């Protein structure tokens, strides 16, 4: 039998989706599942976006330009102006979701054997994209005790060597909800400048910041403009995960030319998705405001509820719509699987993402889970009741 590639063997399974077979089996038994495991908002897509789909009158669904329609890139440039990020349409490349933007950034910037430094816990697919590029993630681990604040700059310096090519951050952070301070961002800037590195900055959750602290984009940092690769997506801010529209943004012309080769190889980003995304940028301000206020309420509901369960602790996330919580269990992978395979309370259970999958090295996150507060408050309240019952049953087996 032919042997699959070493790259495929090294590719990590998604911690968010690997429990899907157990969830499907539970549903087949008639168990209702509260999905706290994935960042799929339940809030409606903007009506202007849906209307754009209804009104498609093309007779041919053609290829778009490899870097996306210029009209969409122009509208995106106007969108970023409200955050004091000045861009031209030519500095924006439309991608098939933020995921493709990360992958193309790695493929364009990293050689096999190169290393990137990543504060962890981190979005699990970063590891998969690094494997795809033949690169290695060197983690700097933040802790729940410190609220997942950025470790001291000395911890980064220890990892920098001739193979180091960049630093990757997610701000606000998935999975922790942490928001980097100006001081932390300036420390990262100084490292990038000192060691001539790329700064990959995933900023897809900028719409969701719940404190008085400012949003500091990598593009707000002076002196490293040519080093920055900003990753973005419309998936979360317009509740449009399925249209697969993201962006890779850089002022580095040489890098844009390199990225375009990969864009041309995959021909074009999704046509229908671009039409929806472009229309959605015109959604009324009330759409964003209502979504924001809803997440504020959900965050309070979830975090207050988690910290009332005996033995559970969650810091207060400052952004995005996730938190990493510590549970009184021996192994969160085993516990999350058990919730789906062996437990139900009044015909219901919960599905969460074991946090071990958000660390690149074994042993971390063994008693932590990532929870997404993307369900309405009534469902979150019910899920918290079920989680408390599950923990009690699990520890009394």
């Amino acid at each position: 039998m032919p042997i699959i590639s070493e790259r495929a063997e090294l590719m990590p399974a998604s911690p968010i989706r690997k429990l899907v077979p157990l969830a499907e089996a539970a549903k087949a038994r008639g168990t209702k599942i509260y999905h706290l495991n994935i960042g799929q908002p339940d809030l409606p897509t903007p009506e202007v976006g849906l209307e754009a789909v209804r009104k498609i009158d093309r007779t041919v669904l053609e290829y778009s330009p490899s870097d996306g329609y210029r009209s969409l890139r122009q509208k995106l440039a106007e969108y970023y102006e409200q955050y004091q990020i000045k861009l031209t349409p030519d500095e924006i490349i439309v991608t098939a979701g933020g995921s493709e933007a990360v992958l193309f950034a790695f493929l364009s910037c990293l050689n096999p054997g190169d290393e990137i430094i990543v504060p962890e816990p981190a979005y699990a697919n970063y590891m998969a994209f690094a494997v795809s590029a033949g690169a290695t993630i060197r983690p700097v681990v933040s802790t729940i005790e410190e609220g997942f604040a950025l470790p001291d700059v000395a911890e980064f310096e220890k990892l920098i060597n001739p193979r180091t090519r960049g630093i990757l951050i997610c701000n606000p952070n998935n999975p922790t909800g942490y928001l980097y301070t100006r001081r932390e961002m300036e420390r990262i800037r100084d490292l990038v400048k000192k060691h001539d590195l790329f700064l990959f900055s995933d900023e897809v959750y900028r719409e969701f910041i719940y404190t008085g602290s400012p949003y500091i984009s990598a593009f707000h940092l002076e002196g490293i403009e040519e080093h920055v690769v900003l990753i973005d997506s419309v998936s979360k801010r317009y509740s449009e995960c399925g249209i697969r529209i993201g962006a890779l943004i850089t002022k580095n012309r040489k890098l844009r030319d390199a990225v375009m080769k990969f864009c041309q190889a995959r021909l074009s980003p999704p046509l229908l998705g671009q039409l929806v995304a472009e229309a959605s940028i015109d959604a009324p301000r009330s759409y964003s405001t209502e979504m924001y206020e809803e997440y504020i309420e959900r965050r309070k509901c979830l975090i207050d509820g988690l910290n009332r369960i005996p033995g559970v602790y969650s810091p207060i996330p400052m952004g995005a719509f996730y938190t990493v919580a510590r549970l009184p269990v021996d192994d969160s992978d085993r516990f999350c699987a058990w919730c789906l395979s062996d437990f139900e309370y009044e015909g219901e259970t919960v599905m969460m993402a074991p946090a071990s999958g958000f660390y690149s090295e074994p042993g971390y996150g063994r008693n932590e889970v990532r929870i997404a507060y993307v369900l309405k408050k009534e469902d979150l309240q019910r899920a918290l009741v079920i989680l408390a019952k599950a923990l009690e049953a699990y520890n009394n087996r």
Side-chain angles (χ1 to χ4, degrees), residues 140 148 190 216 245 247 313 318 394:
V140 174
F148 298 109
D190 293 344
I216 308 298
I245 295 297
Y313 170 67
M318 294 176 280
Y394 183 80

Side-chain angles (χ1 to χ4, degrees), residues 40-188:
Q40 171 58 65
D42 67 346
L43 299 176
T45 297
E47 182 60 28
V48 288
L50 297 173
E51 193 63 20
V53 177
R54 299 185 190 109
K55 289 187 175 180
I56 290 173
D57 60 358
R58 282 169 158 78
T59 56
V60 176
L61 299 177
E62 75 279 6
Y63 289 125
S64 74
S66 294
D67 54 354
Y69 285 117
R70 187 171 188 85
S71 58
L72 171 57
R73 291 183 283 121
Q74 177 63 48
K75 272 198 172 181
L76 285 169
E78 294 167 4
Y79 159 82
Y80 294 120
E81 284 184 7
Q82 67 184 300
Y83 295 100
Q84 291 74 55
I85 298 173
K86 296 191 180 301
L87 300 166
T88 68
D90 291 335
E91 292 167 337
I92 301 171
I93 296 174
V94 178
T95 57
S99 294
E100 186 180 74
V102 178
L103 176 60
F104 283 2
F106 285 2
L107 291 172
S108 301
C109 298
L110 308 174
N111 291 313
D114 282 347
E115 299 178 358
I116 50 174
I117 298 173
V118 183
E120 289 187 349
Y123 177 53
N125 280 340
Y126 294 152
M127 295 171 233
F129 301 142
V131 168
S132 299
T136 301
I137 283 181
R138 298 294 302 276
V140 174
V141 179
S142 60
T143 66
I144 195 168
E145 289 80 12
E146 297 293 328
F148 298 109
L150 193 72
D152 189 85
V153 68
E155 297 303 309
F156 287 80
E157 293 271 17
K158 290 176 186 176
L159 299 178
I160 294 176
N161 65 73
R163 285 285 194 182
T164 307
R165 294 284 288 161
I167 296 173
L168 168 65
I169 61 172
C170 180
N171 184 39
N173 187 266
N174 173 13
T176 66
Y178 186 75
L179 177 69
Y180 290 113
T181 65
R182 178 174 291 279
R183 181 170 180 268
E184 288 171 331
M185 291 293 285
E186 289 176 348
R187 286 160 58 194
I188 291 172

Side-chain angles (χ1 to χ4, degrees), residues 203-235:
E203 302 180 10
V204 305
Y205 297 99
R206 73 174 63 79
E207 300 281 345
F208 310 107
I209 295 174
Y210 311 116
T211 69
S213 302
Y215 154 64
I216 308 298
S217 170
F219 274 130
H220 294 153
L221 305 174
E222 296 181 359
I224 60 167
E225 290 81 3
E226 294 285 313
H227 300 250
V228 171
V229 184
L230 190 145
I231 309 300
D232 201 12
S233 168
V234 301
S235 291

Side-chain angles (χ1 to χ4, degrees), residues 320-342:
F321 39 64
Y322 309 98
T323 193
V324 170
R326 184 172 58 204
L327 305 182
V329 297
D330 56 346
D331 186 306
S332 59
D333 283 84
R334 187 179 300 124
F335 173 69
C336 289
W338 176 87
C339 284
L340 296 170
S341 63
D342 294 87

Side-chain angles (χ1 to χ4, degrees), residues 286-328:
S286 59
Y287 174 83
S288 298
T289 301
E290 289 170 10
M291 178 182 278
Y292 177 84
E293 291 174 350
E294 178 66 20
Y295 280 125
I296 286 278
E297 291 297 314
R298 293 179 181 190
R299 181 183 74 139
K300 177 175 174 52
C301 172
L302 178 69
I303 304 305
D304 287 353
L306 285 172
N307 288 318
R308 281 197 294 265
I309 300 174
V312 175
Y313 170 67
S314 171
I316 300 174
M318 294 176 280
F321 39 64
Y322 309 98
T323 193
V324 170
R326 184 172 58 204
L327 305 182

